[in-house]
Amino acid sequence: MDVKRLHLEGEFVESNLGTVLGDDGKVVVRLVAQQYSFEPQCIVVPAEMPVTFRATATDAIHGFVVGKTNANTMLIPGFVATFTTSFKTAGEQLMPCHEYCGTGHEAMWARVQVLEPQEFLAKAKGGERMSCVPR
Ligand SMILES: [Cu+2]
């Protein structure tokens, strides 16, 4: 994977980031970490359903813990980190970078909006990318 072309082609282009509900019923979240933010800044997921994360970094080693789950990974430029987890309850959670990545590290985090499964499924339409709902 060529990190310089990450935003231009392939799985991690901007238009492909965020959450999708696939035809197979699987929920996949794609995100990119860079100094000093995650893209997207807010991720929407369902509670009580398996959610697969696929993530990478562009510039430095980052890492993240996903809200109140057991998911915790490092992101290394040039590699895709993937894991599947699930969220027990609906609500808003935080996803901070936990790997010191430079001066802006402390401010590097994303929000995770966990929706009730019915609400999530009602919002999800045929493979379209989903974004957080204003609360
Ligand atoms: Cu960081």
Side-chain angles (χ1 to χ4, degrees):
M1 177 188 283
D2 181 352
V3 294
K4 292 198 189 74
R5 300 191 60 79
L6 202 64
H7 60 298
L8 299 175
E9 60 190 24
E11 181 176 359
F12 292 96
V13 293
E14 203 277 334
S15 60
N16 206 37
L17 300 180
T19 308
V20 287
L21 175 65
D23 295 337
D24 54 4
K26 290 194 174 129
V27 181
V28 179
V29 178
R30 290 187 178 82
L31 62 113
V32 172
Q34 69 226 326
Q35 287 163 323
Y36 295 99
S37 62
F38 291 99
E39 179 64 34
Q41 280 283 301
C42 184
I43 291 160
V44 61
V45 294
E48 300 161 31
M49 285 171 68
V51 178
T52 298
F53 281 78
R54 292 181 57 80
T56 191
T58 59
D59 48 14
I61 296 178
H62 298 278
F64 64 99
V65 212
V66 188
K68 297 171 203 144
T69 72
N70 63 349
N72 178 336
T73 193
M74 280 177 78
L75 300 174
I76 300 171
F79 296 90
V80 178
T82 184
F83 56 83
T84 300
T85 189
S86 60
F87 296 81
K88 286 199 177 71
T89 52
E92 182 142 314
Q93 303 185 7
L94 291 181
M95 198 184 86
C97 180
H98 67 49
E99 195 63 42
Y100 183 77
C101 56
T103 53
H105 170 70
E106 297 299 324
M108 183 170 169
W109 48 271
R111 290 187 300 132
V112 183
Q113 198 169 71
V114 188
L115 303 182
E116 296 292 351
Q118 322 78 276
E119 186 183 1
F120 179 88
L121 292 169
K123 252 174 75 69
K125 292 185 201 83
E128 267 176 48
R129 181 166 67 147
M130 300 173 66
S131 44
C132 289
V133 290
R135 293 282 193 209

